[in-house]
Amino acid sequence: MIKRERAQVAVVGGGATGVGVLRDLAMRGVDVVLVEQFDLGHGTSSRFHGLLHSGARYAVKDMDAAVECIRENEILKQIAPACVEDTGGLFVHLDGEDPDYVGRWVSACRAAGIDVQEVDVQDLRARYPGLSPRVRRAFRVPDGAVDGFRLLRANVRSARRHGARVFTYHRVTGVHIADGRVTGVELTNTLTGEKSHLECQVLVNAAGPWAGKVAELAGLKVSVLHDKGTLAVFNHRFVNQVINRLRPPGDGDIFVPHNTVTILGTTSQEVAGPAFARPAAEEVQQLLATGEEVFPGLRRYRLIRAFAGVRPLYRSGTAQAGREVSRNFVLLDHREDGLNGMVSIVGGKLTTYRLMAEKTADLVCSLLCINSPCRTAQEPLTEPIPPADLNRGRRLFGFPAAVKAAERWGSEFKDILQKAGADPSKAELICECELVSRAEIEHAAGCADTFTLCDIRRKTRMGMGTCQGAFCAFRTLGVAAEHNTCVLENNLHYLREFLQSRWEGIRPVLWGQQLRETQLAQAIYGTIFNLERMCRS
């Protein structure tokens, strides 16, 4: 028998926009369900540089986008401090680049309300000795770094407190329409193949790169340009502020400090779809060549991986491509296409996800004749950890590990403390690179929406540090199998899946120290687990 569910609104897509819509609607009292074909943050929202835009990057070309960015930047820093590192940002202008652009950029930033202050280049060189001697001018802006995984989970935790439901690993395979109105969606569990039906009054298509496919199920066309961006990850933070090139936006012109690493990005290349979001060695070389113009010794720094995401840009004209396509968002009310009860939200940036969700929720509420204001800009998304809990965590895990665990888990940090307090052995580190304890792995494995090792990685950052899972993957497998039936029954399958996901990012940077690290990982998993072929080419 096909399982049946009912809600007022179904949101398709577990990225930042989707979870933002979920939270916004739930806070307005709407009965809402989110459906995601994989895990939360599987797509673009976890495959970006982690930059919380100040809007300065867009000020000259797109004033509206710049204004939206600085407003949302300020809001996110207020409501979600546990998800944001207020690093500040710098724009550096190099000798040989257009000097007139600097004046236009400064004027545009100030017109958008972005605080811009010129800084002394000599002071900057003292802070960053590796900076290129070609840097002639530098300006400080309120950029920041945002953790996409934490942000998504914080939104879902908040939404659930307001009654929302989330179905991960459920793909929309059909849209039911009667008398010109959406009445529900057909779902398929991507792990078990089980079919189910979700009845709804409104369908929100927030599927990012898959938005065009979801629209097709309803007989509609949403023109999505799939723009791949490749990024490179260094094994340490050699910058503590976001550093941008002061020039028209291009490839390889942003350095972002993110947790324990530095990310260099990005490229821009149109691809056929999200399945083509794999980084290539030549793209990494392109990034390094451009990045060296700012940090000449860049190639001596160790790269641990590369990754790529697909920007779902809305193409309103056939001639647009790449960076010519606006990074702004578009909200589509499909009543204009003759279909009631369906809206699509396409484009935008993670920085403006909350605003995108607000506009979408406003439209949905108007369709449902609900008069309830948005509160997401005022109500905290994350709550501060009580000092007593943090002090207890420091005694159990040590200072840095406790702080990281508290930031990762928010209100669930109490559960981590309870596990480690009852059994001190659970305070031991399973992942030394990212300081992830056994208690965290157990907690992540026990979550109802955890099915694979990759799910645990997204919740904890296990395997995302220097060793890329070489030492912590098999440890995690052992711990997780004790607390998760799905992992236990499919242990080697999920281990291979995890290693494959790491391999896809390691392969484009396979030289020097990373090559030696990978050879060691091959030896570990080939010997201990008898995985003759650890990963596919």
Side-chain angles (χ1 to χ4, degrees):
M1 180 179 294
I2 295 179
K3 184 179 179 181
R4 295 186 176 274
E5 300 280 352
R6 178 179 295 179
Q8 287 177 288
V9 179
V11 179
V12 182
T17 306
V19 300
V21 173
L22 181 79
R23 178 182 185 237
D24 195 317
L25 288 173
M27 290 174 66
R28 301 191 200 204
V30 177
D31 181 14
V32 56
V33 170
L34 182 140
V35 178
E36 162 57 43
Q37 63 180 333
F38 302 114
D39 187 21
L40 296 173
H42 176 85
T44 309
S45 295
S46 65
R47 300 168 187 263
F48 75 119
H49 41 45
L51 172 59
L52 182 66
H53 283 283
S54 63
R57 184 171 173 83
Y58 304 108
V60 172
K61 184 178 178 181
D62 192 338
M63 179 62 69
D64 290 341
V67 170
E68 288 175 354
C69 281
I70 187 59
R71 289 176 179 170
E72 292 302 307
N73 172 300
E74 293 168 351
I75 290 171
L76 272 182
K77 287 175 181 176
Q78 289 295 317
I79 68 170
C83 304
V84 174
E85 184 180 358
D86 194 3
T87 62
L90 294 167
F91 274 75
V92 295
H93 187 255
L94 274 59
D95 183 35
E97 295 182 334
D98 182 8
D100 295 334
Y101 185 79
V102 178
R104 296 199 306 274
W105 176 81
V106 171
S107 297
C109 284
R110 288 175 177 162
I114 302 166
D115 182 28
V116 179
Q117 300 292 332
E118 188 159 12
V119 299
D120 185 87
V121 172
Q122 294 307 314
D123 290 344
L124 192 59
R125 292 191 199 287
R127 193 182 316 157
Y128 300 117
L131 200 64
S132 170
R134 289 181 56 201
V135 174
R136 290 291 179 263
R137 300 182 71 181
F139 297 82
R140 184 174 60 247
V141 298
D143 283 340
V146 58
D147 189 308
F149 294 117
R150 289 183 202 165
L151 187 67
L152 266 62
R153 291 200 308 276
N155 273 274
V156 168
R157 278 196 294 266
S158 174
R160 282 174 168 157
R161 286 196 295 269
H162 289 88
R165 291 168 285 163
V166 176
F167 299 155
T168 54
Y169 291 98
H170 281 75
R171 178 179 290 124
V172 174
T173 51
V175 176
H176 287 267
I177 299 170
D179 299 323
R181 175 178 293 278
V182 170
T183 60
V185 291
E186 289 294 330
L187 305 176
T188 299
N189 187 309
T190 55
L191 296 175
T192 67
E194 181 184 3
K195 306 288 185 181
S196 58
H197 176 76
L198 174 60
E199 181 182 325
C200 63
Q201 296 170 251
V202 178
L203 175 63
V204 176
N205 177 12
W210 293 271
K213 296 293 185 183
V214 173
E216 287 177 4
L217 294 174
L220 302 171
K221 182 177 181 180
V222 172
S223 184
V224 178
L225 184 150
H226 300 97
D227 186 68
K228 185 182 83 166
T230 293
L231 306 99
V233 185
F234 295 88
N235 79 322
H236 68 295
R237 283 176 64 136
F238 56 86
V239 296
N240 286 313
Q241 297 165 284
V242 178
I243 295 185
N244 307 260
R245 291 281 289 273
L246 209 175
R247 65 177 190 180
D251 292 353
D253 56 2
I254 306 175
F255 293 86
V256 182
H258 191 73
N259 286 291
T260 58
V261 302
T262 301
I263 298 176
L264 167 62
T266 60
T267 61
S268 178
Q269 176 191 2
E270 185 174 351
V271 293
F276 295 87
R278 291 188 177 184
E282 55 269 25
E283 293 169 331
V284 174
Q285 293 300 325
Q286 175 190 344
L287 289 171
L288 291 175
T290 306
E292 278 186 312
E293 296 175 11
V294 179
F295 288 96
L298 196 63
R299 290 182 188 271
R300 297 197 301 270
Y301 301 166
R302 179 180 173 183
L303 281 168
I304 57 174
R305 71 181 288 103
F307 65 96
V310 173
R311 307 175 187 93
L313 307 178
Y314 183 71
R315 176 153 49 188
S316 57
T318 56
Q320 294 175 311
R323 297 193 184 276
E324 295 303 312
V325 182
S326 172
R327 266 48 176 172
N328 219 327
F329 67 89
V330 176
L331 179 60
L332 303 172
D333 182 350
H334 292 298
R335 286 180 295 183
E336 298 178 6
D337 303 309
L339 180 61
N340 285 295
M342 183 169 175
V343 300
S344 294
I345 178 75
V346 186
K349 298 165 287 296
L350 187 133
T351 298
T352 58
Y353 91 94
R354 192 213 61 83
L355 176 64
M356 295 164 64
E358 177 182 343
K359 298 298 184 184
T360 305
D362 285 345
L363 176 55
V364 170
C365 285
S366 72
L367 295 175
L368 294 172
C369 299
I370 293 174
N371 184 18
S372 181
C374 175
R375 309 198 311 273
T376 58
Q378 293 80 35
E379 295 195 13
L381 180 59
T382 60
E383 298 289 346
I385 301 297
D389 287 349
L390 199 53
N391 287 333
R392 186 184 179 199
R394 288 169 178 168
R395 291 193 297 271
L396 289 168
F397 305 112
F399 175 73
V403 171
K404 285 183 174 293
E407 290 173 343
R408 281 191 284 260
W409 292 102
S411 59
E412 296 177 61
F413 183 52
K414 286 183 178 293
D415 299 324
I416 309 296
L417 292 176
Q418 186 175 359
K419 286 180 182 292
D423 182 354
S425 70
K426 294 183 179 181
E428 71 171 318
L429 294 180
I430 299 298
C431 174
E432 288 95 344
C433 298
E434 295 292 334
L435 302 179
V436 183
S437 67
R438 174 183 288 268
E440 287 187 74
I441 298 296
E442 287 187 6
H443 183 73
C447 291
D449 59 352
T450 295
F451 301 96
T452 73
L453 288 186
C454 288
D455 293 349
I456 295 174
R457 171 179 63 82
R458 281 183 281 268
K459 288 180 172 69
T460 64
R461 290 188 61 83
M462 175 277 298
M464 296 179 71
T466 301
C467 85
Q468 289 292 289
F471 300 110
C472 57
F474 64 86
R475 299 173 187 167
T476 300
L477 180 68
V479 175
E482 296 175 2
H483 297 84
N484 188 296
T485 303
C486 190
V487 173
L488 175 63
E489 293 176 350
N490 303 277
N491 53 78
L492 285 183
H493 169 75
Y494 287 138
L495 179 60
R496 284 193 178 94
E497 177 191 64
F498 178 88
L499 295 172
Q500 179 66 31
S501 71
R502 298 293 87 193
W503 169 247
E504 288 180 2
I506 293 170
R507 189 181 180 195
V509 300
L510 209 53
W511 64 79
Q513 289 177 302
Q514 195 56 43
L515 175 58
R516 290 191 287 273
E517 183 90 56
T518 302
Q519 289 174 321
L520 175 60
Q522 290 276 8
I524 291 172
Y525 290 97
T527 302
I528 297 176
F529 293 97
N530 196 29
L531 299 181
E532 293 183 5
R533 188 171 184 180
M534 188 173 79
C535 297
R536 300 186 300 274
S537 300

